[in-house]
Structure formats: structure tokens, C-alpha cells
Amino acid sequence: MSYPMVVTQEDILHQIKLSGKIPETVEQIIQRKIIKNRADEVGIKVEVAELQQTADQMRLVNQLTTTDETWTWLKKHGLSLEDFEEIIYITLLTAKLGHHLFAAEVEPYFYNHQVDYLQVIMYEVILDDEDLAWELFYAVKEGEKSFYDVAHQYIQDVELRRQCGYRGVMGRQNLHPDISAAVFAAEPPQLLKPIVTAKGIHLIFVEDMIRPRLDEQLSYQIIGHLFAEWLKQQVEQTDFQI
């Protein structure tokens, strides 16, 4: 049997406290205030057409194709229409402020940090036996086996085995620090010496190195990074009271 139950705003606030999320929530509030204040200082405005376009994009992302679906989604998340409009507004304001503050810094930042945006195409077999890993390493180096042979014999996961241990296009942030250091020092195509981590002994073949190109997507990524660092500093320098 189900019983009717009412959850109040006080209940929600109390649960946020019990969950230890007060510091996180307070920081988000401060961030929003900093963004609004700085946008006002530099004269950034958000136009009605921009709000409508962003609202349409948000509905599309959340698969809200009808008015009823939108209202149901708002109710599920405890949002009013005004709340939804504020989310759209602060999203747009954040993007425009980030572009205003850091668009001119993108190109010099990119050229000074190109190494951070390198990517590799790599294949990997993880083993439990280090002696076996070295034996296989030398067998491949001397042409007695191919990496394909090793992958098909020692990878347990069926799908990964079919792909010969293909890990795809990987960036530094996707890899264990010890693996990253070795991979990005490679001269492809190159089989790396076995690398030991907590996961096991990694036998890695680096097929190719992809040099970064400053396109629109990477520009947005750099602006986002610079803006996040700036906002973090602003929060740390802010005196506030609860």
C-alpha cells in the first residue's frame, strides 16, 4: 500500500545539508553572482532571439519535442518556467562572458600548450604476468609474433579482442600518468616496453600521433578551460556570508 507524502522546500534544504552538499551549492551560487556582476560591468546583454534559440537547443538535447513533455520535465526537476528561463539566461551569459574575456587569448594559449592537445591512436593488451609481457614484447619486436596475434590470444573481452585491443584516439587526460608519459614520448609506429600499473602489465602499440589543430571546437574548449580557472580564482577571492 502506498501512502500520500509531501516533500517541502525545507525537506529539500535539510537533505542538501545532510548530503554534505552545502559547500558545493554555495559555491555554485557565488559563481552565478560573479558571472552576472562581471557581465553587467562589461555591458554584456542577452537578446530575446538568443534566449529562444538556446531554449530550443536545450529542449532538443533533453528530447522535449512537445509542450506536455516540457512541462513534465520541468515538474520532475522542480522547476518553474521562470527557473527554466533563468537557466537559459545564465548559460548564455556565461558563454558570452567567457568569449569576451578570453577569445583573444585562445591562439597564444594554444601555441604555448600544443603538447597538451596531442592525441594518439593506440592498441593495448593488459596482462597479469610481467615475465610473459616481456616475452611477448620481444617476440613482437623480433617478428616472431604480431601484435594482432598477441591481442587475439590474450585479450579476454570478446569485443575488444575483435578490435585487437584498439583503444581509439586518446588524449593525455584519458591515460594513466605512467602510460601517458611513455605513449606521448613514442615515435609511431612503435611497440612500447611493458608498463606496470595497478591494472596489470600493459603492452601498447602506438600506431600514430595526431597533431592538434586550432578549430572552432578546440577554441571553445580552451575558452572553457580559461574561464573555469578565472572563475575559480574569483570564488577564492570572494568574501561571503551565509
Side-chain angles (χ1 to χ4, degrees):
M1 179 182 294
S2 61
Y3 298 93
M5 191 174 295
V6 176
V7 177
T8 66
Q9 291 185 349
E10 288 75 16
D11 292 330
I12 294 171
L13 178 58
H14 186 57
Q15 183 58 42
I16 291 174
K17 290 180 179 179
L18 296 180
S19 301
K21 293 186 179 297
I22 287 291
E24 176 185 341
T25 303
V26 169
E27 182 172 332
Q28 291 171 346
I29 293 170
I30 294 169
Q31 287 176 347
R32 191 172 70 249
K33 290 179 178 293
I34 289 171
I35 290 168
K36 287 182 175 179
N37 289 342
R38 189 57 183 273
D40 284 342
E41 289 174 5
V42 298
I44 292 176
K45 304 294 182 184
V46 174
E47 304 297 333
V48 174
E50 294 175 316
L51 289 169
Q52 184 60 56
Q53 183 180 11
T54 305
D56 292 340
Q57 291 171 347
M58 289 186 68
R59 281 193 288 266
L60 186 62
V61 167
N62 290 283
Q63 299 180 333
L64 307 175
T65 57
T66 67
T67 302
D68 287 343
E69 288 174 343
T70 301
W71 282 114
T72 300
W73 183 85
L74 289 173
K75 184 177 180 181
K76 175 184 177 181
H77 290 86
L79 298 170
S80 67
L81 183 59
E82 290 73 20
D83 294 330
F84 184 57
E85 290 172 347
E86 185 174 1
I87 291 171
I88 296 166
Y89 175 77
I90 196 66
T91 299
L92 264 172
L93 205 63
T94 301
K96 296 183 84 168
L97 180 59
H99 187 272
H100 173 83
L101 294 176
F102 299 109
E105 297 185 26
V106 168
E107 191 168 330
Y109 182 90
F110 170 72
Y111 287 111
N112 288 328
H113 296 82
Q114 286 189 67
V115 66
D116 296 332
Y117 296 99
L118 282 172
Q119 294 178 304
V120 294
I121 298 174
M122 57 177 275
Y123 296 76
E124 178 181 52
V125 177
I126 302 177
L127 302 158
D128 296 325
D129 187 329
E130 187 171 359
D131 290 336
L132 175 61
W134 280 103
E135 179 184 328
L136 294 172
F137 169 77
Y138 285 116
V140 174
K141 289 285 285 185
E142 294 169 10
E144 297 173 6
K145 286 180 178 287
S146 69
F147 194 88
Y148 172 90
D149 295 329
V150 173
H152 271 260
Q153 185 173 353
Y154 292 98
I155 293 178
Q156 301 301 315
D157 182 88
V158 175
E159 190 60 34
L160 192 58
R161 183 168 65 242
R162 287 173 180 164
Q163 299 176 29
C164 300
Y166 178 63
R167 291 291 305 278
V169 178
M170 308 290 285
R172 291 177 183 275
Q173 71 279 7
N174 304 124
L175 299 170
H176 184 283
D178 290 340
I179 292 177
S180 175
V183 164
F184 285 95
E187 296 183 3
Q190 181 180 345
L191 178 67
L192 303 183
K193 293 179 180 179
I195 302 169
V196 180
T197 73
K199 289 185 176 181
I201 300 87
H202 304 251
L203 199 58
I204 295 172
F205 175 67
V206 181
E207 181 180 76
D208 199 7
M209 193 84 66
I210 302 174
R211 302 292 171 182
R213 184 171 62 87
L214 186 58
D215 55 15
E216 185 177 15
Q217 182 178 354
L218 183 53
S219 294
Y220 283 131
Q221 183 181 333
I222 292 172
I223 288 175
H225 169 72
L226 294 174
F227 184 80
E229 290 296 312
W230 172 81
L231 190 57
K232 179 181 178 182
Q233 292 176 358
Q234 296 301 306
V235 171
E236 291 173 350
Q237 297 169 7
T238 300
D239 293 324
F240 62 90
Q241 296 179 339
I242 302 177

